[in-house]
Amino acid sequence: MPGPTLTDIARAAEVSTATVSHALNGTGRLGESTRRRVREVAAALGYGSRRTPLTRTGTLGLAVTTYAGAPWNYVQVPYFSRLLTAAAATAHALGYALTVLPAERGGETLWHTLTVDGMLLLDSPEDDRVLRALRARGIPVVFDGRPADPHPDDVWVDNDHTTTTREVLDHLAAAGARRIALHAGYGREYYTGAVTRAYEEWCREHGCEPSVIPFDPEDAPGHAFDRAFSDRALSGRDSSDRTLSGPASSDRSCDAVHSLYDPGGRQVLAAAARHGLRIPDDLLLVCASEDPAYAETDPPVSTVTLRPETIAETAVTTLVARLDPALPAPSPGGLTVPARLCPRTSTGRPSG
């Protein structure tokens, strides 16, 4: 195969073709770190020699790239923790090692020199630098979550977020909710956008005004809800009022919350407690989370499981099929794993 072009190197190193030319020719006014990085990327891509097929290593890589470059520990998030365990078990059963990469890239050249046969990318966002580097090197990729800008031959494993969102909203409406807020808007991955679009469409169909409350992972007390909850303490109201007009009175901005991220449910519980709101009497709550502790909170919180173990097994098996010519090649496009709503007390009707 022909070697990489200057454009290939520029795309992978995230610089201009002029910068690549200066770096490789020792010309121009470039910083030494930029010149060195471009040369390392060029070497990793095989510049100056005919490109040879990648040497098989028997190793798969896995990375969460939603916030790639930021030093956050995704392993402590229940969804990723459970997915990683299942991915490692599936990879080992198929004869592969699994390397889990840190969210912080650890150097601009890591993705250009990484030696793996294929990669699993979780929650790849728009303009994903890691994905660009892997594509430039020709490393096969399978995605957990639909990529923002899929190529014709891309394969991904995901839930049907539109169907799941509608199920959650219908469940809340059936329990009496009239003004449902969405706790979202943090990530740039497909999941957040798909759920938000489905929520806004559902609101339009039901004549409701959408209300998206921004999520902040550091907001443990749930201050994002202060404005929505400030005038909502209903301690003197008979709970049976809810069966007549829903839990929302005219001075309340929302009577239910659907939170998209694992800490969100605890943030809502904290905010409700500070404002004297009773769950489920005054406020209904559903949280997308794989944390079993939500079954033991006071009250137990209804959750949506995205079934990360099934997603991991499907994604790893699909990636191995892309690598092994003896196996049937997977068809491009998305593979759907149904999510599941687990109703608990936080969306139950109050007594009386």
Side-chain angles (χ1 to χ4, degrees), residues 252-321:
R252 298 173 63 195
S253 59
C254 71
D255 57 12
V257 177
H258 176 24
S259 185
L260 299 195
Y261 311 105
D262 176 75
R266 288 181 287 275
Q267 293 178 7
V268 175
L269 291 175
R274 286 190 295 104
H275 289 279
L277 295 175
R278 300 165 298 173
I279 297 177
D281 301 62
D282 305 325
L283 183 72
L284 302 176
L285 170 61
V286 175
C287 181
S289 175
E290 312 301 331
D291 188 350
Y294 275 120
E296 306 297 331
T297 55
D298 183 19
V301 173
S302 299
T303 56
V304 173
T305 173
L306 304 180
R307 300 176 63 195
E309 292 87 353
T310 304
I311 287 180
E313 181 178 353
T314 304
V316 172
T317 302
T318 301
L319 180 57
V320 170

Side-chain angles (χ1 to χ4, degrees), residues 159-171:
N159 310 105
D160 184 342
H161 298 301
T162 298
T163 297
T164 303
T165 301
R166 286 180 170 275
E167 180 184 0
V168 170
L169 299 176
D170 288 343
H171 174 72

Side-chain angles (χ1 to χ4, degrees), residues 158 161-162 165 189-200 260:
D158 204 354
H161 298 301
T162 298
T165 301
E189 75 288 348
Y190 179 78
Y191 165 65
T192 296
V195 175
T196 302
R197 288 189 294 272
Y199 164 75
E200 292 173 344
L260 299 195

Side-chain angles (χ1 to χ4, degrees), residues 67 182-187 213-225 259-268:
Y67 318 112
L182 185 70
H183 192 203
Y186 186 69
I213 296 177
F215 169 78
D216 180 351
E218 304 300 325
D219 183 22
H223 287 302
F225 294 93
S259 185
L260 299 195
Y261 311 105
D262 176 75
R266 288 181 287 275
Q267 293 178 7
V268 175

Side-chain angles (χ1 to χ4, degrees), residues 59-129:
T59 300
L60 307 177
L62 184 150
V64 180
T65 59
T66 307
Y67 318 112
W72 69 293
N73 181 16
Y74 58 81
V75 179
Q76 68 184 1
V77 178
Y79 175 87
F80 295 121
S81 175
R82 294 173 62 169
L83 186 144
L84 291 175
T85 300
T90 305
H92 294 170
L94 296 174
Y96 284 83
L98 181 69
T99 297
V100 179
L101 283 303
E104 188 173 20
R105 289 195 294 272
E108 292 296 327
T109 62
L110 170 63
W111 305 106
H112 308 296
T113 59
L114 182 68
T115 54
V116 294
D117 295 344
M119 281 289 298
L120 294 174
L121 289 190
L122 282 59
D123 288 344
S124 177
E126 297 177 1
D127 194 29
D128 189 343
R129 293 182 173 185

